Amino acid sequence: MGKLDGRVVIVTGAARGQGEQEARLFVEEGARVVLADVLDEQGEAVAKELGEQARYVHLDVSSEEGWTAAVAAAKDAFGKVDGLVNNAGILRFNALVDTPLDEFMQVVNVNQVGCFLGIRAVAPAIAEAGGGTIVNTASYTAVTGMAAVGTYAATKHAILGLTRVAALELADSGIRVNAVCPGAIDTAMSNPAQLDPDADASEMSAALDELYRKLVPLGRVGRPREVADLALFLSSGDSSYITGQPFVIDGGWLAGVSIV
Ligand code: NAD
C-alpha cells in the first residue's frame, strides 16, 4: 500500500531538483504523476524512467493556455487530477534598488503568477475528482527577509498569501492547500555546479555543507528528497486535518541565531 495509491498529481518544475524528487517519490507511493517543466529533454527522460505511472508535459507555468493544456493532458492520460505540487521557480540575485523592472516581473511571472494560475487551473479538476491537495513551494524567504534576493522573497511571501486564501476558498470542495518553505537545498538553484558538466558538483555540495554548518543548527544544506518527503506528507492522508499552513524545512535556520 502506497500513501498515494489511486492519486493523480501534477508536479511543476519536475525535470530536476526538488520537483524531480517529488515526482519520483510520489510514483513510489502509488500515484500517477504528470511531470511539467520547460526543460523538455530532461523532463521526458525522468518520465520515461518512471514508466507507465508518469507522463511529461511541456508547461511554462506563467502561461494560461499552457495550464489548460496540461490539465487536459493529465485527464487524458489518467482520467482525473486530484493533486498539484506548484514547485517551479526561479531565483535572481540583485539589490532591490538595482533590480530592473523586467527582471522583477520575470520572477513574479514564474513564481507568483505561475502558482496562482496553477491553483486556478487545477482546483476545478480536483473538486470534480471529489477533493485532494495542493502544495505550493514557498521558501524560508517567505517568512523572513534575505538581502540580495528581494524579488524572489517578495514572490515567496505572496505564495503564502495565495496558500492561505486558497485554503479558505477551497475547503468546501475538499481541497487542502499548504506550503513548503525550504531553507537552502542542494539543487541547481543553490548549487549551480550541478549544471556545469566540467564542474565537480559534489565539491560544491561539500562547500555548501561547510557554509551551512555555521548558519543552521542541523549543520548542513538540505537534500531535495527531504523536501519531497514533506510534500508527500502534505499530499497524503497523513495531513488530513491540516490546511492553509506554511511548513518550514530549513535545518533550524529560522529558529534564531546563536551567540556562542
Ligand atoms: P531547480 O532550479 O533545480 O528547479 C526548478 C525547476 O523549475 C527546473 O526544473 C526549471 O526548469 C523549472 N522551471 C523554471 N521556470 C519554469 C517555468 N516558467 N515553467 C515551468 N517550469 C519552470 O531548483 P529547486 O531547488 O529544485 O527549486 C524548486 C522550488 O524550490 C522552486 O520554487 C524554488 O524557488 C524553491 N526553493 C528552492 C530552494 C533551494 O535552496 N534550492 C530553497 C527554497 C525554495
Side-chain angles (χ1 to χ4, degrees):
M1 283 280 286
K3 285 182 186 287
L4 299 177
D5 281 346
R7 300 284 305 279
V8 178
V9 183
I10 297 176
V11 181
T12 68
R16 70 180 193 212
Q18 295 174 48
E20 177 188 346
Q21 292 306 316
E22 285 157 356
R24 289 182 183 281
L25 180 60
F26 283 25
V27 164
E28 275 171 36
E29 291 291 340
R32 285 164 294 166
V33 174
V34 174
L35 297 90
D37 208 299
V38 288
L39 297 175
D40 296 337
E41 208 175 306
Q42 274 174 266
E44 294 274 13
V46 178
K48 193 169 166 207
E49 200 188 312
L50 291 173
E52 274 312 294
Q53 276 174 254
R55 294 285 187 285
Y56 174 77
V57 292
H58 176 89
L59 170 65
D60 175 345
V61 293
S62 62
S63 156
E64 283 190 276
E65 303 74 34
W67 273 106
T68 307
V71 173
K75 283 184 179 173
D76 194 43
F78 299 127
K80 66 169 185 178
V81 182
D82 62 7
L84 168 66
V85 181
N86 271 319
N87 163 76
I90 58 172
L91 171 69
R92 297 288 180 270
F93 291 96
N94 233 331
L96 280 176
V97 294
D98 297 329
T99 302
L101 180 58
D102 277 0
E103 181 178 300
F104 189 88
M105 292 313 298
Q106 188 191 14
V107 178
V108 167
N109 277 328
V110 177
N111 295 4
Q112 183 175 338
V113 175
C115 181
F116 156 65
L117 289 178
I119 293 168
R120 200 184 66 178
V122 181
I126 303 179
E128 202 179 283
T133 52
I134 297 176
V135 176
N136 297 323
T137 305
S139 166
Y140 170 90
T141 64
V143 283
T144 187
M146 188 182 283
V149 295
T151 306
Y152 181 83
T155 62
K156 294 300 187 179
H157 275 71
I159 287 172
L160 289 195
L162 287 169
T163 300
R164 292 182 173 116
V165 174
L168 295 172
E169 293 182 356
L170 298 174
D172 281 351
S173 303
I175 304 174
R176 296 186 294 105
V177 188
N178 291 291
V180 296
C181 299
I185 307 299
D186 194 0
T187 66
M189 189 174 277
S190 290
N191 179 357
Q194 289 184 11
L195 301 179
D196 178 355
D198 298 325
D200 183 347
S202 59
E203 208 172 273
M204 179 73 177
S205 295
L208 282 172
D209 275 343
E210 188 51 39
L211 172 68
Y212 285 95
R213 198 177 325 283
K214 293 171 196 139
L215 279 180
V216 310
L218 293 185
R220 63 173 173 81
V221 72
R223 311 288 177 227
R225 181 71 176 210
E226 294 175 310
V227 181
D229 284 335
L230 178 57
L232 170 63
F233 169 70
L234 294 173
S235 300
S236 77
D238 288 348
S239 58
S240 57
Y241 197 50
I242 298 175
T243 196
Q245 299 306 314
F247 286 81
V248 177
I249 171 165
D250 69 346
W253 200 0
L254 197 65
V257 293
S258 173
I259 54 164
V260 289

